[in-house]
Amino acid sequence: MTVALAAVTADPIDAAAVEAAVLSAADGALVTFRGIIRDHDAGYAVTRLDYSAHPDATEFLRRTCERIAGDLVVAAVHRVGALDVGDVAVVCAVAAPHRAEAFATCAALIDAIKAEVPIWKRQHSPTARPSGSASRFHRSGRTRRHAAAGR
């Protein structure tokens, strides 16, 4: 129904502002997802992530939010730039009359963002990777899915 907010930013994300963008007096549930940089991945230490985005990533994010929203109000903000362990990389919020639809829509929203929005991350690690590199480059979602499908 409504996309209250869809943004890609280099600034720290204000999760309370993302939540406030979706919440109304008609809502009995507010579900928020925060993607936080953790200190490990696949058995390796992680010291930071560098996120970069396609110039049209905000438009991809908006369209993804619109598609997932249905009859609800949703918002999503994704960060770019250098992020340290503990930093928030993405915030998604969904408000709904009842919790079940809010939980389901928020889960679908973050899954769709990871699969469809062209945002890439480079992971930094002090320990060697199986490739012999101290860091590796990921593309969130789309490339992995298409690569797995042979495209």
Side-chain angles (χ1 to χ4, degrees):
M1 177 208 259
T2 303
V3 177
L5 176 63
V8 176
T9 182
D11 298 324
I13 301 170
D14 181 353
V18 178
E19 292 173 341
V22 300
L23 195 58
S24 76
D27 297 312
L30 171 66
V31 174
T32 305
F33 171 81
R34 296 181 196 195
I36 300 168
I37 308 304
R38 63 180 179 258
D39 68 356
H40 67 281
D41 183 42
Y44 294 95
V46 172
T47 56
R48 78 172 202 269
L49 295 179
D50 295 327
Y51 281 95
S52 60
H54 185 278
D56 295 328
T58 299
E59 179 60 21
F60 279 92
L61 181 60
R62 184 191 60 74
R63 282 190 259 152
T64 300
C65 288
E66 284 176 350
R67 186 176 56 74
I68 297 297
D71 293 333
L72 304 180
V73 179
V74 304
V77 179
H78 203 299
R79 190 143 171 227
V80 293
L83 280 73
D84 294 320
V85 170
D87 286 346
V88 176
V90 62
V91 174
C92 300
V94 178
H98 304 285
R99 69 182 176 270
E101 59 191 335
F103 275 112
T105 302
C106 194
L109 181 57
I110 189 59
D111 288 346
I113 289 168
K114 290 180 65 81
E116 300 169 18
V117 180
I119 295 175
W120 303 271
K121 66 181 175 181
R122 181 173 186 193
Q123 189 164 288
H124 297 269
S125 174
T127 56
R129 296 285 183 185
S131 65
S133 171
S135 64
R136 61 184 175 174
F137 188 79
H138 299 277
R139 175 169 178 174
S140 294
R142 194 169 197 158
T143 298
R144 273 186 254 150
R145 186 182 75 214
H146 287 123
R151 291 185 243 162

